[in-house]
Amino acid sequence: MTTALKSIKSLAPLLDRILVQRIKAETKTAGGIFLPESSVKELNEAKVLAVGPGGLDKEGKRVAPSVAPGDKVLIPQYGGSPVKVGDEEYALFRDHELLAKINE
């Protein structure tokens, strides 16, 4: 999905949606060897940039999201709604689609 957004900061997720950016894999090994981009796999880790206010339960009460901006999460390899702003790529996931929160 290509958007006319000038900045990702102007994007506010709705309901239980979470805006994330995949963390890029290292192209340099611990020994200092640079790897070609074709051999570097895409990581399933992402940084949470923005969080919606939360979904509604059956009684109409707001359910708070399980993550907050700045958290690192594990996301599925496929899925989410892609959002491209300039050269950067982001994705919108629903809260229940996130696989895990990474505590460091």
Side-chain angles (χ1 to χ4, degrees), residues 5-6 11 30 46 48 51 55 57 73 83 90 95 97 103:
L5 293 172
K6 293 187 170 112
L11 187 69
V48 176
V51 177
D57 64 8
V73 293
V83 178
Y90 305 92
D95 191 26
E97 293 175 332
N103 296 319

Side-chain angles (χ1 to χ4, degrees), residues 64-92:
S66 57
V67 295
D71 288 346
K72 281 178 72 174
V73 293
L74 193 64
I75 57 174
Q77 187 172 5
Y78 302 105
S81 299
V83 178
K84 190 168 183 176
V85 178
D87 294 336
E88 296 290 326
E89 292 186 16
Y90 305 92
L92 277 167

